[in-house]
């Protein structure tokens, strides 16, 4: 782990420089495949704290700590650094560099090479080639702007993101060949787009253009490929996103952000088990991360239908990052589905779902998923009018999003508006979903409640091929087969319900299933009883 270097200049305005040097060294070391390097975000939780090296080594699972200090004044820089063995607490080497500021890149290279030599590391040919031919900048002012911009970017607010963009723009204006500055500039556009901080619908395309410029200048830059992964994921181009994430990991095997993006993309492809493996690798690299690690972990458990496991990391994430919108969205959905799938008997579960959803909408009323989870909370509390209103707001927020139509169809189905539900469900089928097949469960439910049991089976089956652990889809499949008199298929689907939840109770299901019409509810329960559920 590279601990945050101390700023010895006595000027807080120089923190960006010591923080930037720390990040650059972390990034350089993380590209060495034979090293395991803890991520920046976890390392920075130690900033300004007295650290016992042996305890830190045990906590993070690392053998070595690099620490130091930086002092920059006029055209001179002093960097003092030392490498410590956490098993003994002893110093392996220490060095002081008093050089002109123009030698900053050479100093950083010397530190990395000293670590490689001291630890007798074997560098791959790819890593060796990168060290010899890597492209940075000869413009020290542009480099200084890069470090300043990174300081703003990591604050993750709308205002700081805009300030980071302005600073990165100064860097590329000073050096039009500065690949990393273009990549970081692209990140600001990506962040603005996914958090909906601005009205410009072309923001994502601007981020993509910056990433393309960065890769054209330096194809070996991991952060540029990581941005491709993020932007392609946001553009619903999941296969391209996965390929870009894999490329970023190949270039930087310790990149927690690339593993997190890979986990996110695998979740979006409906491959939660693989996503969980990537998320666990993120957790190993960045155990104290305030954001993406826990979001990826919660998302993977959610995709596997294990809502109880999903809730824990999401709650921790909210404690660490109380303004992380997606955490509230996933948390609300997890509570709602935990209730529906009979994974919880706590009567407060739906209240918790409602609170998280209301917080999400309050944070960003333009975000469609926030309205969708609030609508689902209302639906399971049998507040049908409010549920439909929220689902319609989700559609209005993004009229080309398959899941908003699918969720509206689901609410209409439960409320007994079957004809309109089918019409809206078929509208959902016109659009490509962000997550493959995710919209097919509500579509199947719309057909089922409309009495179109044969039409319900195909979308429910396809959904379950991708999400075999989602009990909420197995139940209507069993009922649809039962209604059609296909007893063998109905019993097989009922057996799957009990595989997923051996404690499934038909009485609890009747109490929790928010079907408005009593006759429809009784028919549904009778079909499930006929399928063999009790």
């Amino acid at each position: 782990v590279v601990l945050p270097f101390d700023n010895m200049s006595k000027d807080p305005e120089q923190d960006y420089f010591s923080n930037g040097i720390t990040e650059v060294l972390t990034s350089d070391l993380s590209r060495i495949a034979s090293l395991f390097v803890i991520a920046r975000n976890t390392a920075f939780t130690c900033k300004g704290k007295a650290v016992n090296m042996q305890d830190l080594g045990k906590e993070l699972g690392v053998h070595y700590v690099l620490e130091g200090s930086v002092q920059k004044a006029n055209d001179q820089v002093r960097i003092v650094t030392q490498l410590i063995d956490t098993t003994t607490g002893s110093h392996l080497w220490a060095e002081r560099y008093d050089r002109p500021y123009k030698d900053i890149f050479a100093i950083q290279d010397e530190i990395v090479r000293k670590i490689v030599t001291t630890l007798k590391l074997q560098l791959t040919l790819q890593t060796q080639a990168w060290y010899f031919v890597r492209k940075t900048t000869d413009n020290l002012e542009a480099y200084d702007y890069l470090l300043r911009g990174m300081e703003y970017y990591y604050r993750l607010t709308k205002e700081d993101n805009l300030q980071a963009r302005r600073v990165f723009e100064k860097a590329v204006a000073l050096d039009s060949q500065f690949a990393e500055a273009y990549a970081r500039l692209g990140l600001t556009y990506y962040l603005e787009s996914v958090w909906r901080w601005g009205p410009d619908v072309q923001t994502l395309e601007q981020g993509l253009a910056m990433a393309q410029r960065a890769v054209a200048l330096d194809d070996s830059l991991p952060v540029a490929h990581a941005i491709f992964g993020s932007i392609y994921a946001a553009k619903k181009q999941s296969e391209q996103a996965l390929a870009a994430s894999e490329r970023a990991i190949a270039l930087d095997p310790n990149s927690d952000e690339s593993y997190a993006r890979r986990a996110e993309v695998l979740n979006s492809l409906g491959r939660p088990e693989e996503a969980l493996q990537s998320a666990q690798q993120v957790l190993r690299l960045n155990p104290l991360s305030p954001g993406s690690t826990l979001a990826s972990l919660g998302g993977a458990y959610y995709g596997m239908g294990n809502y109880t496991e999903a809730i824990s990391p999401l709650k921790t994430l909210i404690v660490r990052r109380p303004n992380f919108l997606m955490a509230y969205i996933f948390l609300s959905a997890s509570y709602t589905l935990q209730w529906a799938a009979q994974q919880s008997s706590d009567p407060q579960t739906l209240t918790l779902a409602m609170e998280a959803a209301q917080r999400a909408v309050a944070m960003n009323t333009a975000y469609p998923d926030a309205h969708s989870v609030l609508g689902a909370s209302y639906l399971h509390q049998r507040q049908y009018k409010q549920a439909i209103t929220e689902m319609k707001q989700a559609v209005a927020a993004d009229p080309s999003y398959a899941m908003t139509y699918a969720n509206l169809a689901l609410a209409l189905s439960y409320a007994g508006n079957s004809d309109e539900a089918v019409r809206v469900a078929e509208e959902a089928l016109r659009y490509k979903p962000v997550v493959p097949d995710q919209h097919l469960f509500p579509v199947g439910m719309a057909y089922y409640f409309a009495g179109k049991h044969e039409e319900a089976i195909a979308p429910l089956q396809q959904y379950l091929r991708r999400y075999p652990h989602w009990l909420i889809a197995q139940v209507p499949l069993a009922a649809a087969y039962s209604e059609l008199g296909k007893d063998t298929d109905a019993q097989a689907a009922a057996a799957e319900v009990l595989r997923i939840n051996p404690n499934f109770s038909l009485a609890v299901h009747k109490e929790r299933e928010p079907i408005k019409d009593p006759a429809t509810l009784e028919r549904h329960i009778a079909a499930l009883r006929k399928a063999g559920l009790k």
Side-chain angles (χ1 to χ4, degrees), residues 18 63 85 119 273 277 299 303 455 489 492:
S18 56
H63 197 155
D85 185 330
L119 302 183
E273 289 84 357
Q277 293 176 1
E455 291 94 327
D489 291 328

Side-chain angles (χ1 to χ4, degrees), residues 99-116:
R99 305 272 186 86
Y101 179 44
K102 66 181 178 64
D103 291 342
I104 186 65
F105 306 121
I107 296 171
Q108 291 165 181
D109 285 350
E110 285 180 36
I111 293 171
V112 172
R113 289 194 177 98
K114 184 68 175 179
I115 291 172
V116 168

Side-chain angles (χ1 to χ4, degrees), residues 5-11 14 17-18 21 68-80 96-99 101 104:
F5 276 40
D6 292 327
N7 171 19
M8 302 301 290
S9 69
K10 310 298 184 184
D11 179 6
Q14 290 293 315
F17 188 75
S18 56
I21 296 299
S69 61
V70 179
Q71 185 171 1
K72 178 173 173 280
N74 299 320
D75 294 329
Q76 292 293 122
V77 64
R78 170 179 292 173
I79 297 180
V80 178
R96 189 173 90 171
Y97 303 88
D98 284 302
R99 305 272 186 86
Y101 179 44
I104 186 65

Side-chain angles (χ1 to χ4, degrees), residues 52-106:
N52 180 292
M53 296 300 174
Q54 289 171 291
D55 290 344
L56 185 68
K58 292 175 183 176
E59 180 183 359
L60 299 183
V62 295
H63 197 155
Y64 305 102
V65 171
L66 182 70
E67 66 168 1
S69 61
V70 179
Q71 185 171 1
K72 178 173 173 280
N74 299 320
D75 294 329
Q76 292 293 122
V77 64
R78 170 179 292 173
I79 297 180
V80 178
T81 187
Q82 53 193 2
L83 186 68
I84 300 168
D85 185 330
T86 65
T87 61
T88 62
S90 61
H91 292 64
L92 297 180
W93 64 264
E95 191 67 66
R96 189 173 90 171
Y97 303 88
D98 284 302
R99 305 272 186 86
Y101 179 44
K102 66 181 178 64
D103 291 342
I104 186 65
F105 306 121

Side-chain angles (χ1 to χ4, degrees), residues 123-258:
L123 299 186
T124 65
L125 291 176
Q126 174 180 283
T127 305
Q128 291 180 51
W130 172 72
Y131 273 113
F132 284 116
V133 305
R134 62 175 170 158
K135 304 174 182 69
T136 178
T137 180
D138 295 323
N139 189 309
L140 292 175
E141 190 178 0
Y143 182 71
D144 195 74
Y145 278 126
L146 176 76
L147 300 187
R148 290 177 186 272
M150 286 158 54
E151 185 79 357
Y152 286 116
Y153 173 80
Y154 280 111
R155 294 173 186 170
L156 298 176
T157 69
K158 178 180 178 179
E159 294 73 20
D160 286 312
N161 191 61
L162 285 172
Q163 184 62 23
R165 182 179 302 163
R166 295 187 192 104
V167 175
F168 291 140
E169 286 172 341
K170 291 180 180 179
V172 298
L174 287 164
D175 182 355
S176 62
Q177 305 299 302
F178 195 177
E180 185 168 358
Y182 281 107
R184 300 284 178 177
L185 181 56
L187 275 174
T188 68
Y189 285 111
Y190 165 74
L191 207 61
E192 178 179 317
S193 177
V194 296
W195 290 108
R196 297 175 182 250
W197 281 337
D200 187 355
V201 295
Q202 292 301 311
T203 302
L204 207 57
E205 296 300 328
Q206 291 171 291
L208 183 61
M210 294 299 105
Q212 289 169 334
R213 175 66 173 155
V215 168
L217 290 167
D218 185 359
D219 185 57
S220 70
L221 192 64
V223 66
H225 291 281
I227 297 166
F228 273 130
S230 300
I231 292 175
Y232 283 134
K235 288 166 66 69
K236 308 175 187 177
Q237 297 173 0
S238 298
E239 295 295 345
Q240 296 96 317
L242 184 58
S245 298
E246 298 283 9
R247 172 69 170 148
I249 290 169
L251 290 168
D252 183 354
N254 288 289
S255 172
D256 66 304
E257 291 185 4
S258 295

